[in-house]
Amino acid sequence: MPSTPTVLRSPARWPALALRLPGTVSTEALAFAASLYFTLFCNRAFWHGALDGRSLASLGTWAFAVAVAAAITLLQFAVLCAVLTRHGCKPVLALLLVATACANHFTARYGVVLDPGMLRNVLRTDWKEARELLSAAGLADVLLQTALPLWLLSQVRLARHGLRQAALRRLVALLAALLGCTVALMCVFQDVAALMRNHKALRYQITPGNYVYSLGRAVWQSHRAAAGSRQPIGTDARLGATALQRSRPALLVLVVGETVRGANWGLNGYRRNTTPELAGLDVVNFPQVSACGTNTEVSLPCMFSPWGRHAYDEERILGHESLLHLLHRAGLQVHWRDNQSGCKGVCDGLPIERLDRATLDGLCHDGLCLDEVLLHGLGELVRDARGNLVLVLHQLGNHGPAYFKRYPPAFRHYTPTCDTADLRECSQEQIVNSYDNAVRYTDHVVAEAIRFLQAQSARYDTALIYLSDHGESLGENQLYLHGLPYLLAPAEQTRVPMVFWLSPGWRDSTGLDLACLRARAARPASHDHLFHTVLGLLNVETRDYDAGWDLTAGCRSSGAATAPATPASVAPVNGPAAALQARPPHA
């Protein structure tokens, strides 16, 4: 008798080996499950901050945690209910899962906070910078976080409902979520209100709400800035008597450093002599300088504005012209040379050279150029100039995490170094060594720029200002890179170096007392001083100039820049002068 053939069950029906999933689920149920997953498994940084200082043995701690978790979950669920459709549900949730995993990866690795400023920085970052943050370890981390949730999402089948029934279900779910969120918050309102008031960064650590909100706000701000024309400043700007009476034209070089922190600047008393070349030149060093922001997107427009940090208003700064436009209006030639990701609107409409795209042997490799490229061709540029010239050199500097790419082999003074962009693979000693090598290279580039200016003394009165845009964390308190909200940022991210060099001809023509300036340098200064100090040095007269913020005003015997004698009623109602008077200067 023939044997009966064996019938194999399909894998989906093997109860011992397969995960049983519901046959179909509603869009609302899937949205709630995703919200709960985000709250419980994707917010380690938030929970660490929210529960810091609370005893886990206390029942009150658990009651607080459950209420906050319920409020966050229901609020996220309400937002998803408002935007998800049956057909778009899976793609949107898949995108959120991947984006959240990426956000968690960078938050955990570098300690960044995803506020609107950071997202704006991300949007403006070019591919050359972004690729240094990518690594095999990072990809593995993201895959580990997303593999199971994405597989589960792919297995779910969404139930179909009629339009009227679906709309009613969605409305009930949305109202119930908002009501539940309100009740949960009211149960712990006093605790939550105090927590959010005292630790404002926590609101930007709730994932995925942090990056979704910040991205939307950053895009909106960028759109508004692009749509509207910049309002002029210094419409009355003109050269003063001292500038007009110079025997030689002025040549001012502004070197805008990138990510160099004051703590590792040799002239500031750092344990290593990271500035040996500048130490041999007759420079004036400012050891106590505060940056306007902790990232380039904030600091660069801010330092070139008349408002600075003390009267900071992002929309006003981005909606107005910069110091460079004012100088151009006063009759000076202005030229921007860039080895970074652009001037962030500071030089819009003015001559700019993008040297980061150069292909010079020995200076450029693999799409990146060393900062000495900024000095290449300077002779021809200066020779062809007519009259007073302001030249801005925007460095790549110490931009992380690939510090080892910021200097040539000859500047590998401190070893062992971190020769990878994945800082997790290096010790803090290696990271600091690579960073300090890059600082020494910046010292060399700035010193070479000064030597170039010294060679122009027969034709120009020359001066140079070096000022870094923000600092950097190198592992202190488990923080890396930069970009933390200013009120939370450590001094490593907000203290920066600043150096002045002025030729004898410049000092003579402006009556500048170098000993007086050195005495002023010993006191605190900030990015806020740059705008008015440059106007003072160049003797540009305008209502927007405030001598109280000019670092050189008290050290010039003649030719100080002045605000023209104009009736107060003529000054702009919301102009820079009014903003600067709102707070006394600390010059």
Side-chain angles (χ1 to χ4, degrees):
M1 185 175 180
S3 60
T4 302
T6 302
V7 178
L8 296 178
R9 295 181 178 182
S10 65
R13 302 181 64 183
W14 292 350
L17 298 178
L19 177 65
R20 286 189 176 275
L21 296 174
T24 59
V25 298
S26 67
T27 302
E28 294 78 19
L30 184 57
F32 181 80
S35 301
L36 187 61
Y37 169 77
F38 289 138
T39 300
L40 297 181
F41 299 105
C42 302
N43 279 281
R44 180 179 176 182
F46 170 78
W47 288 117
H48 177 77
L51 300 178
D52 185 39
R54 296 176 181 267
S55 172
L56 294 181
S58 169
L59 183 61
T61 297
W62 287 100
F64 171 80
V66 169
V68 171
I72 292 174
T73 301
L74 291 172
L75 181 59
Q76 292 180 144
F77 173 58
V79 173
L80 290 177
C81 279
V83 299
L84 290 182
T85 64
R86 180 180 177 277
H87 294 290
C89 183
K90 284 191 177 183
V92 170
L93 291 181
L95 179 62
L96 286 176
L97 286 169
V98 174
T100 297
C102 293
N104 284 337
H105 168 73
F106 288 108
T107 299
R109 175 168 294 191
Y110 301 117
V112 299
V113 175
L114 300 177
D115 62 351
M118 177 59 73
L119 265 293
R120 188 168 60 249
N121 214 29
V122 170
L123 292 175
R124 297 281 184 92
T125 298
D126 59 26
W127 166 244
K128 290 186 293 185
E129 293 179 359
R131 68 181 178 180
E132 294 178 353
L133 294 169
L134 305 179
S135 66
L139 178 60
D141 191 13
V142 171
L143 289 175
L144 187 64
Q145 292 184 58
T146 57
L148 180 58
L150 287 175
W151 180 81
L152 292 173
L153 181 64
S154 71
Q155 301 303 303
V156 170
R157 287 183 296 165
L158 293 175
R160 294 176 179 272
H161 299 287
L163 181 60
R164 181 176 298 180
Q165 183 184 8
L168 181 60
R169 288 172 60 92
R170 187 63 57 88
L171 180 60
V172 170
L174 180 60
L175 293 176
L178 292 175
L179 178 61
C181 177
T182 302
V183 171
L185 281 178
M186 292 305 296
C187 291
V188 287
F189 180 77
Q190 186 173 352
D191 273 357
V192 170
L195 181 68
M196 292 302 176
R197 183 171 58 250
N198 297 328
H199 304 280
K200 294 182 179 180
L202 279 178
R203 69 189 68 178
Y204 291 115
Q205 292 179 328
I206 301 175
T207 310
N210 54 356
Y211 67 79
V212 172
Y213 167 77
S214 296
L215 179 62
R217 184 174 174 186
V219 169
W220 171 247
Q221 289 173 338
S222 298
H223 171 72
R224 286 189 63 184
S229 59
R230 293 179 182 270
Q231 297 299 309
I233 60 173
T235 54
D236 61 334
R238 64 181 184 183
L239 291 178
T242 299
L244 295 173
Q245 293 169 7
R246 284 181 184 271
S247 59
R248 293 179 294 268
L251 170 56
L252 173 64
V253 173
L254 299 176
V255 182
V256 179
E258 168 67 33
T259 322
V260 178
R261 67 187 203 174
N264 292 51
W265 190 247
L267 291 175
N268 287 354
Y270 182 47
R271 61 184 175 85
R272 286 173 167 170
N273 185 14
T274 54
T275 53
E277 295 188 51
L278 286 175
L281 297 169
D282 193 20
V283 300
V284 178
N285 182 63
F286 290 75
Q288 302 179 63
V289 180
S290 299
C292 188
T294 61
N295 60 69
T296 307
E297 284 293 327
V298 172
S299 282
L300 206 56
C302 182
M303 73 167 74
F304 281 91
S305 82
W307 298 286
R309 184 80 203 175
H310 70 279
Y312 188 76
D313 184 323
E314 186 176 87
E315 290 193 11
R316 180 168 58 176
I317 290 174
L318 297 180
H320 283 76
E321 294 177 338
S322 76
L323 167 67
L324 302 183
H325 298 100
L326 187 156
L327 296 178
H328 178 71
R329 181 170 292 115
L332 292 92
Q333 297 179 73
V334 178
H335 194 94
W336 184 286
R337 306 192 105 199
D338 202 280
N339 190 33
Q340 241 265 17
S341 55
C343 68
K344 315 304 181 186
V346 169
C347 65
D348 284 358
L350 299 172
I352 179 173
E353 286 183 89
R354 293 297 304 267
L355 297 175
D356 58 317
R357 302 167 183 171
T359 56
L360 297 174
D361 291 339
L363 290 178
C364 302
H365 176 70
D366 194 26
L368 292 171
C369 291
L370 295 170
D371 277 332
E372 281 179 280
V373 73
L374 293 169
L375 308 179
H376 182 77
L378 271 191
E380 292 82 357
L381 178 62
V382 170
R383 183 188 61 211
D384 295 339
R386 296 290 182 270
N388 301 307
L389 173 64
V390 176
L391 181 61
V392 186
L393 308 180
H394 188 200
Q395 293 184 298
L396 182 57
N398 279 48
H399 197 286
Y403 307 120
F404 70 101
K405 292 184 178 181
R406 308 297 178 244
Y407 54 89
F411 284 82
R412 193 173 179 266
H413 295 281
Y414 309 113
T415 56
T417 55
C418 179
D419 298 328
T420 174
D422 189 352
L423 301 182
R424 188 169 54 179
E425 297 182 6
C426 301
S427 67
Q428 188 174 20
E429 177 193 11
Q430 292 173 311
I431 294 170
V432 172
N433 285 341
S434 293
Y435 185 87
D436 285 350
N437 288 334
V439 175
R440 283 196 63 147
Y441 182 59
T442 286
D443 166 70
H444 171 71
V445 172
V446 177
E448 282 293 290
I450 291 175
R451 285 189 273 267
F452 169 81
L453 292 178
Q454 289 173 330
Q456 309 303 314
S457 60
R459 182 178 174 187
Y460 288 98
D461 288 340
T462 56
L464 177 144
I465 297 176
Y466 168 79
L467 178 60
S468 181
D469 62 349
H470 55 76
E472 186 89 329
S473 288
L474 300 177
E476 301 87 2
N477 301 314
Q478 299 303 307
L479 296 176
Y480 293 89
L481 304 183
H482 53 268
L484 278 179
Y486 199 87
L487 294 178
L488 298 174
E492 290 82 7
Q493 294 189 27
T494 61
R495 293 297 178 88
V496 294
M498 181 166 70
V499 168
F500 285 20
W501 176 86
L502 304 112
S503 69
W506 190 294
R507 300 199 299 266
D508 291 342
S509 65
T510 59
L512 185 64
D513 184 343
L514 202 59
C516 171
L517 186 59
R518 292 189 196 281
R520 173 60 189 89
R523 308 205 310 271
S526 72
H527 277 173
D528 294 19
H529 289 95
L530 180 67
F531 181 94
H532 305 279
T533 299
V534 169
L535 292 181
L537 283 172
L538 291 168
N539 190 219
V540 174
E541 298 180 345
T542 171
R543 281 190 303 258
D544 292 340
Y545 169 78
D546 189 325
W549 289 97
D550 179 358
L551 293 169
T552 68
C555 299
R556 292 195 306 271
S557 59
S558 63
T562 60
T566 306
S569 59
V570 179
V573 174
N574 296 315
L580 289 169
Q581 291 168 3
R583 193 173 189 179
H586 46 262

